[in-house]
């Protein structure tokens, strides 16, 4: 008997799953992919795109082409509600979709609970919406009064914020005549918490050379159009604010009857199935492994896709499911704007142009597997 699998979101794990289905279809499984847009960005290449090293096609997966190759129906829409008892998903056009199996790979959304952040900041996530926001920001900078100072603030000192700051600095100095001051706000005493000290020192050096300020112990509590207010009472002037801090799950998930983590992500077992419903899976950033919480990093997508494929096949064939085994350590690579990069693994730090070339090859190889279909 044919089963209907509905994939919600075109994240990395779902894209890799569809690629697997091109090579090895699961018998008696009909697949539908639902995504709000045709093109899914590859987050690992976003800093290079901002710097100007990649174009739009380089960093986006064509979901319609991928769906056609895998004989999957593609629906360009958003999910708005779920009735797990009836096994139905509601789309934004009020269309109900029935499913036998359901999988979420919708990524994370910015936590905009700080007063004013929703109205006055530019969220970096969801990444598929950042391209238009980045284009508008560049236009606003170019059209602003050159005689007035322009300060760009990046709120968030994790890997994404660091890469973003260096990429933007490189782009503005190369292509925009108007001077812009960049400042990065960190909630903690230092940047890149959890990274090796040597890597942190290298980034501090790069920021100092670029003239990017790091404001430490700046926990933003309120935002206006031109100012950032911290919990310590400090007021920081800012012309534009990029929000690159905490993330959460989509708000509509709270009404789905699914068990969610404190941050709003879908809680899953080692099999990637939700706690209450064996027929529903979650992968990527939207998934929260209850036995082993993971940082929100795209590097886990490959193994999650493997486990998802294996377990969808197992459910379809009524065989034993497998547990997802995340890698204990992985090579973390950060682009530094100017075709150099820094990375670490097992506590060791590497840096230089050769590291950028290695990162570039890894990223292009990932994308080429979809272009070759």
């Amino acid at each position: 008997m044919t089963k209907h699998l509905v994939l919600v979101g075109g994240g990395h794990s779902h894209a890799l799953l569809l690629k697997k289905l091109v090579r090895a279809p699961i018998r008696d499984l009909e697949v539908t992919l639902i995504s709000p847009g045709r093109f899914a960005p590859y987050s690992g290449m976003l800093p290079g795109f901002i710097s100007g090293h990649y174009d739009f096609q380089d960093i986006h997966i064509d979901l319609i082409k991928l769906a056609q190759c895998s004989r999957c129906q593609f629906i360009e829409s958003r999910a708005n509600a779920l009735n797990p008892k009836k096994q139905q998903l509601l789309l934004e056009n009020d269309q109900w979709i029935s499913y036998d199996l359901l999988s979420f790979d919708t990524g994370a959304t910015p936590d905009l609970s700080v007063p004013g952040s929703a109205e006055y900041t530019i969220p970096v996530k969801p990444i598929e919406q950042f391209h238009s926001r980045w284009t508008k920001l560049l236009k606003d900078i170019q059209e602003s009064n050159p005689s007035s100072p322009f300060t760009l603030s990046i709120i968030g000192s994790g890997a994404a914020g660091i890469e973003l700051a260096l990429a933007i600095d490189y782009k503005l100095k190369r292509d925009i005549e108007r001077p812009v001051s960049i400042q990065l706000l960190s909630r903690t005493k230092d940047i890149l918490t959890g990274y090796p000290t040597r890597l942190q020192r290298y980034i501090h050096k790069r920021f100092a050379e670029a003239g990017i300020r790091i404001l430490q112990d700046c926990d933003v509590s309120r935002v206006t159009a031109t100012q950032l207010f911290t919990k310590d009472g400090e007021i920081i002037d800012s012309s534009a604010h990029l929000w690159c801090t905490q993330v959460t799950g989509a708000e509509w998930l709270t009404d789905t009857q699914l068990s969610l983590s404190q941050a709003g992500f879908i809680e899953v077992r080692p099999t990637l199935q939700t706690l209450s419903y064996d027929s529903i899976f979650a992968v990527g950033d939207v998934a929260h492994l209850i036995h082993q919480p993971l940082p929100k990093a795209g590097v886990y997508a490959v193994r999650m896709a493997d486990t998802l494929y294996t377990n969808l096949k197992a459910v379809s064939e009524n065989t034993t499911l497998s547990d997802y085994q995340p890698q204990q350590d992985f090579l973390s690579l950060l682009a530094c704007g100017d075709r150099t990069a820094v990375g670490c693994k097992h506590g060791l730090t590497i840096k230089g142009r050769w590291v950028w070339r290695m990162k570039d090859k890894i990223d292009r190889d990932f994308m080429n597997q979809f272009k070759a279909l």
Side-chain angles (χ1 to χ4, degrees), residues 9-219:
H12 302 347
S13 294
H14 277 177
L16 290 164
L17 170 69
L18 290 176
K19 195 202 81 166
K20 286 179 175 293
L21 291 173
V22 174
R23 306 274 196 269
I26 296 175
R27 189 177 59 188
D28 296 328
L29 188 68
E30 177 185 287
V31 185
T32 297
L33 170 65
I34 298 168
S35 176
R38 171 175 183 163
F39 296 101
Y42 172 45
S43 57
M45 297 175 82
L46 179 65
F49 173 73
I50 291 171
S51 297
H53 307 316
Y54 303 123
D55 60 26
F56 185 90
Q57 286 72 27
D58 289 330
I59 75 163
H60 285 84
I61 299 169
D62 187 338
L63 294 178
I64 289 183
K65 177 187 174 185
L66 182 58
Q68 289 172 341
C69 291
S70 58
R71 296 182 180 179
C72 163
Q73 180 187 13
F74 177 80
I75 299 176
E76 188 169 335
S77 186
R78 295 181 188 275
N80 277 344
L82 174 70
N83 187 330
K85 296 192 184 304
K86 291 186 177 181
Q87 292 189 288
Q88 290 183 323
L89 185 76
L90 178 65
L91 305 186
E92 60 185 354
N93 60 356
D94 293 331
Q95 176 187 3
W96 284 98
I97 300 289
S98 297
Y99 65 85
D100 298 296
L101 298 169
L102 181 68
S103 178
F104 288 93
D105 188 10
T106 51
T109 60
D111 183 351
L112 299 175
S113 59
V114 172
S117 59
E119 296 86 356
Y120 300 114
T121 71
I122 304 169
V124 177
K125 290 193 174 183
I127 292 176
E128 59 266 25
Q129 298 175 17
F130 185 66
H131 175 253
S132 59
R133 293 168 178 162
W134 167 238
T135 302
K136 184 180 183 303
L137 176 60
L138 281 178
K139 183 180 179 183
D140 290 345
I141 292 173
Q142 289 173 312
E143 294 179 353
S144 62
N145 186 352
S147 62
S148 300
F150 193 103
T151 301
L152 176 63
S153 299
I154 298 171
I155 298 95
S157 61
I162 297 301
E163 287 190 297
L164 197 64
L166 290 169
I168 290 175
D169 177 72
Y170 178 83
K171 173 69 175 179
L172 295 181
K173 287 177 178 174
R174 190 185 67 172
D175 295 338
I176 307 295
E177 294 183 3
R178 194 225 199 284
V180 176
S181 299
I182 300 176
Q183 56 189 14
L184 182 133
L185 281 65
S186 173
R187 294 175 59 187
T188 58
K189 292 183 184 291
D190 210 342
I191 58 174
L192 293 171
T193 302
Y195 280 77
T197 302
R198 186 181 175 194
L199 189 148
Q200 291 174 330
R201 286 200 302 262
Y202 177 74
I203 293 298
H204 273 286
K205 177 174 176 287
R206 291 298 302 264
F207 271 46
E209 291 171 348
I212 303 172
R213 295 176 63 208
I214 299 175
L215 306 180
Q216 299 170 336
D217 285 324
C218 282
D219 194 352

Side-chain angles (χ1 to χ4, degrees), residues 146-346:
S147 62
S148 300
F150 193 103
T151 301
L152 176 63
S153 299
I154 298 171
I155 298 95
S157 61
I162 297 301
E163 287 190 297
L164 197 64
L166 290 169
I168 290 175
D169 177 72
Y170 178 83
K171 173 69 175 179
L172 295 181
K173 287 177 178 174
R174 190 185 67 172
D175 295 338
I176 307 295
E177 294 183 3
R178 194 225 199 284
V180 176
S181 299
I182 300 176
Q183 56 189 14
L184 182 133
L185 281 65
S186 173
R187 294 175 59 187
T188 58
K189 292 183 184 291
D190 210 342
I191 58 174
L192 293 171
T193 302
Y195 280 77
T197 302
R198 186 181 175 194
L199 189 148
Q200 291 174 330
R201 286 200 302 262
Y202 177 74
I203 293 298
H204 273 286
K205 177 174 176 287
R206 291 298 302 264
F207 271 46
E209 291 171 348
I212 303 172
R213 295 176 63 208
I214 299 175
L215 306 180
Q216 299 170 336
D217 285 324
C218 282
D219 194 352
V220 176
S221 60
R222 186 164 68 89
V223 181
T224 67
T226 58
Q227 291 181 317
L228 303 167
F229 296 78
T230 72
K231 289 184 177 178
D232 293 335
E234 187 177 0
I235 301 174
I236 300 167
D237 291 332
S238 176
S239 309
H241 338 300
L242 284 171
W243 201 252
C244 197
T245 182
Q246 300 296 321
V247 291
T248 184
E251 186 176 353
W252 72 271
L253 291 175
T254 58
D255 296 323
T256 58
Q257 301 177 39
L258 298 177
S259 178
L260 305 180
S261 70
Q262 189 172 1
F265 299 109
I266 300 172
E267 293 185 323
V268 296
R269 293 168 269 166
T271 57
L272 303 179
Q273 294 167 295
T274 61
L275 302 192
S276 303
Y277 299 95
D278 290 347
S279 61
I280 303 178
F281 295 77
V283 289
D285 285 354
V286 77
H288 176 81
L289 283 167
I290 57 171
H291 70 295
Q292 187 179 351
L294 300 171
K296 301 303 179 186
V299 71
Y300 297 111
V302 176
R303 288 193 187 178
M304 278 192 174
D306 290 341
T307 304
L308 181 61
Y309 173 85
T310 298
N311 287 346
L312 289 172
K313 192 170 187 293
V315 170
S316 297
E317 298 175 354
N318 199 27
T319 58
T320 304
L321 278 70
S322 301
D323 288 349
Y324 165 65
Q325 302 290 340
Q327 50 268 64
Q328 297 302 307
D329 194 14
F330 56 86
L331 178 62
S332 179
L333 297 171
L334 280 66
C336 295
D338 60 347
R339 293 186 188 272
T340 64
V342 61
C344 63
K345 186 176 183 179
H346 300 312

